[in-house]
Amino acid sequence: TMFLTVTLVVSAVTLIYVYLSWYNNYWRKRGVPGPAPRLLLGNFPSFILRHRSFVEEIEEIYNKFRTRGNFIGVFNGRQPTIMVLNPSMVKDVLIKDFKNFQDNEFADSINKESDPIFGRNPFMLKGEEWKQKRAEVTPAFTTSRMKSLFPLIEDVALRADKFINDNKNQPIETRELCAKYTTDVVSSCIFAADAQSFTSDKAEIREMGRKLMEPNFQVVLMFLVLGFVPALKKL
């Protein structure tokens, strides 16, 4: 019985290890340069460990490989992903050949039946649905409309400037300052409402935004599991 138990445990551990490391040689087999991934975490462990901004990891990888080619192969968890390094190629992907790259990986992490609101966010759509939503949203970003929003944005900037001057004798949390500014700009330009982030200690819209963007272990765990077992997204 002991032998059978040990055998089952070892077999299970081996299967899990093989599953998690199955794609580790994906880019090497294809002759694409790139950093070696960490088991379970890929090349961006900070997304799970939260010990620093994942942008720093992207910067480190970019600085190490930018002279080795136009792009490299990295791993987002277990998922093999192309990281484009050459600025002109980035421009091709985002502009010239965008019709071939319009879909994004986030679209596959949300189930519209389970989450009908977030699932229909333009950033979470792909294919024809994305094209239709983009056609609806694009008229709001014409040059004339953007110019008409400038006075609203300038007004928020003046409020931010006053806030900084009123608090210049004490430390100001830069992230919170930027969040207040962004909240007021969005509220003024899109909802025609004053969010009062700079004048109220507990501004309601700012507090709602804080809850939305705060690091949440449950959400991190959800995306981690979806990265390994995409079929669970509906659940």
Side-chain angles (χ1 to χ4, degrees):
T1 303
M2 177 63 73
F3 176 76
L4 179 60
T5 302
V6 172
T7 302
L8 290 174
V9 170
V10 171
S11 299
V13 171
T14 302
L15 286 173
I16 292 172
Y17 175 81
V18 170
Y19 178 77
L20 294 177
S21 61
W22 185 262
Y23 289 116
N24 282 9
N25 295 323
Y26 182 90
W27 294 121
R28 193 181 307 157
K29 289 178 180 178
R30 288 160 175 76
V32 178
R38 293 171 62 177
L39 186 67
L40 189 69
L41 303 174
N43 294 119
F44 310 107
S46 62
F47 181 74
I48 303 300
L49 302 179
R50 319 293 292 185
H51 61 299
R52 62 172 179 166
S53 170
F54 73 91
V55 174
E56 294 179 36
E57 292 173 338
I58 294 176
E59 183 181 28
E60 285 182 1
I61 294 172
Y62 171 78
N63 289 333
K64 183 177 180 180
F65 289 93
R66 63 181 178 177
T67 59
R68 303 193 190 183
N70 293 327
F71 63 88
I72 58 173
V74 295
F75 292 85
N76 186 9
R78 290 179 67 248
Q79 184 67 38
T81 306
I82 285 287
M83 180 174 170
V84 182
L85 307 178
N86 183 287
S88 61
M89 184 174 285
V90 171
K91 188 175 181 180
D92 288 342
V93 170
L94 295 178
I95 302 175
K96 182 181 177 183
D97 300 313
F98 185 67
K99 63 181 182 296
N100 299 314
F101 299 96
Q102 63 193 33
D103 293 344
N104 66 73
E105 59 189 291
F106 298 109
D108 294 324
S109 64
I110 299 297
N111 182 273
K112 285 186 293 186
E113 295 177 11
S114 303
D115 194 343
I117 296 178
F118 196 51
R120 286 171 173 78
N121 184 302
F123 293 103
M124 296 295 165
L125 296 177
K126 60 182 182 180
E128 287 302 316
E129 281 189 301
W130 176 84
K131 288 181 180 178
Q132 293 174 8
K133 187 61 68 175
R134 182 176 184 273
E136 293 175 13
V137 174
T138 299
F141 296 97
T142 60
T143 302
S144 60
R145 292 204 177 190
M146 295 301 290
K147 284 183 177 180
S148 70
L149 295 177
F150 182 77
L152 299 175
I153 298 173
E154 187 176 32
D155 180 61
V156 176
L158 292 173
R159 276 182 266 161
D161 183 63
K162 183 178 185 304
F163 177 83
I164 293 172
N165 286 317
D166 291 345
N167 294 274
K168 60 185 178 183
N169 294 322
Q170 61 187 30
I172 297 176
E173 175 58 53
T174 308
R175 185 184 182 204
E176 180 61 20
L177 175 68
C178 294
K180 288 176 181 289
Y181 178 80
T182 303
T183 300
D184 275 23
V185 167
V186 171
S187 297
S188 297
C189 294
I190 297 180
F191 303 120
D194 181 4
Q196 301 179 338
S197 299
F198 291 109
T199 55
S200 175
D201 291 335
K202 290 290 184 179
E204 187 174 6
I205 297 179
R206 173 66 198 116
E207 289 303 308
M208 293 169 70
R210 191 195 311 279
K211 290 179 181 179
L212 178 68
M213 302 303 295
E214 272 183 347
N216 185 311
F217 177 75
Q218 183 179 354
V219 173
V220 172
L221 181 63
M222 180 187 73
F223 279 104
L224 178 63
V225 172
L226 287 175
F228 300 132
V229 192
L232 293 177
K233 68 177 180 178
K234 186 172 182 178
L235 177 65

